[in-house]
Amino acid sequence: MSDISNIVILTGAGISAESGLATFRGPDGLWEGHRVEDVCTPQALARDPVLVHRFYDARRAALAEVKPNRAHEALARLDAEWPGDLMVVTQNVDDLHERAGATRMLHMHGELLSGLCAKCEGRQRWDGPMLGEPDLPFAAPACAACGAAAIRPDIVFFGEMPYQMDRIERAISCADLFVSIGTSGAVYPAAGFVRTARYHGARTLELNLDPSEGSIFFDETRMGPASELVPAWVDEVLG
Ligand code: NAD
Ligand code: ZN
């Protein structure tokens, strides 16, 4: 590892699976019993805001029932101890990386614990439900900055642009090592990061339970649960 200085890590739903949060693509293609198109698109939010908010309210409430696992903890240790550059890019909308203590990270698909104003694009921390009284007609919560009833989940829906892509692409182009953890390699643009990293000369490593759609693009692939693979790899890196 002596030739490695800049590390970029991409994480996906698989790193949070052992904490008890369901991954995205179950065997029947549903996420928590819903078709993705029914809950994860801007069209769905416009068509049936109650369904979409109920879904995200439940995901947000579920965060209180789970805690970081050994994989999140190992990455937080790497974050604290790695002397070179490090960026953890997560596709996850949970807060388990930061609860484990990670700081050098960003959420490219947004966060459950944040509300985004559709009018002024301001953000505010959001801990509770977004749906109001069940017997009243639906109204989006009011924005603390502009007052518009326009708060929505701060989640990148299908068809929307992931956050901070410039920063991510810059980090990947300078990386010596790119590591992908617990992601199926099915959702773009994240699924393309490994090819960008290779193009710029990074070594590439995949840690996942099953071979992902992008496994062939990695120099090395290790299969197993994140709670075992990630701490072992971090021990190796930190020597
Ligand atoms: P995905 O569900 O498509 O794939 C999960 C991957 O993790 C699979 O390849 C699977 O083999 C692997 N996996 C499952 N259990 C594992 C374990 N214990 N250890 C290691 N690997 C394991 O997830 P994705 O690629 O992150 O895809 C997509 C989208 O789903 C993201 O945009 C994300 O925002 C969203 N999502 C987020 C959460 C969350 O925040 N926790 C949960 C579900 C979905
Ligand atoms: Zn606003």
Side-chain angles (χ1 to χ4, degrees), residues 116-124 142-151:
L116 174 67
C117 176
K119 182 115 187 279
C120 75
E121 297 185 0
R123 293 192 157 84
Q124 61 196 91
C143 170
C146 76
I151 292 288

Side-chain angles (χ1 to χ4, degrees), residues 209-233:
L209 194 58
D210 319 293
S212 71
E213 291 181 27
S215 282
I216 50 164
F217 298 112
F218 288 87
D219 296 320
E220 189 189 349
T221 298
R222 301 181 191 174
M223 296 294 137
S227 65
E228 291 171 21
L229 293 183
V230 179
W233 172 71

Side-chain angles (χ1 to χ4, degrees), residues 20-232:
L21 296 176
T23 60
F24 199 35
R25 277 157 226 287
D28 44 10
L30 300 179
W31 187 10
E32 303 269 329
H34 293 277
R35 290 194 316 149
V36 168
E37 312 83 84
D38 292 338
V39 286
C40 299
T41 65
Q43 293 80 3
L45 183 63
R47 187 176 60 232
D48 194 346
V50 173
L51 174 76
V52 174
H53 279 299
R54 199 184 294 128
F55 178 78
Y56 283 107
D57 282 356
R59 307 270 70 70
R60 195 177 302 107
L63 295 182
E65 312 298 321
V66 300
K67 51 184 192 357
N69 65 53
R70 293 183 64 225
H72 300 102
E73 284 161 6
L75 290 189
R77 186 161 77 87
L78 184 67
D79 190 323
E81 297 179 18
W82 181 248
D85 284 345
L86 172 76
M87 183 190 279
V88 175
V89 178
T90 188
Q91 298 170 88
N92 294 345
V93 295
D94 66 52
D95 64 338
L96 295 179
H97 281 302
E98 45 272 61
R99 267 202 264 160
T103 56
R104 295 191 265 179
M105 63 158 307
L106 62 85
H107 284 271
M108 67 178 288
H109 290 165
E111 299 174 59
L112 285 166
L113 295 179
S114 174
L116 174 67
C117 176
K119 182 115 187 279
C120 75
E121 297 185 0
R123 293 192 157 84
Q124 61 196 91
R125 184 168 167 95
W126 207 274
D127 292 307
M130 286 195 182
L131 277 180
E133 292 297 320
D135 0 317
L136 295 179
F138 173 75
C143 170
C146 76
I151 292 288
R152 55 162 271 184
D154 191 3
I155 301 282
V156 177
F157 291 137
F158 283 92
E160 296 180 327
M161 183 60 86
Y163 298 148
Q164 307 202 50
M165 283 303 294
D166 289 351
R167 211 177 134 201
I168 296 169
E169 299 277 353
R170 260 199 315 277
I172 293 176
S173 68
C174 301
D176 307 308
L177 175 64
F178 173 79
V179 187
S180 172
I181 304 172
T183 175
S184 63
V187 178
Y188 280 83
F193 290 170
V194 59
R195 272 167 280 175
T196 309
R198 277 178 83 101
Y199 175 82
H200 289 282
R203 252 200 275 168
T204 55
L205 167 67
E206 174 174 57
L207 309 176
N208 207 41
L209 194 58
D210 319 293
S212 71
E213 291 181 27
S215 282
I216 50 164
F217 298 112
F218 288 87
D219 296 320
E220 189 189 349
T221 298
R222 301 181 191 174
M223 296 294 137
S227 65
E228 291 171 21
L229 293 183
V230 179

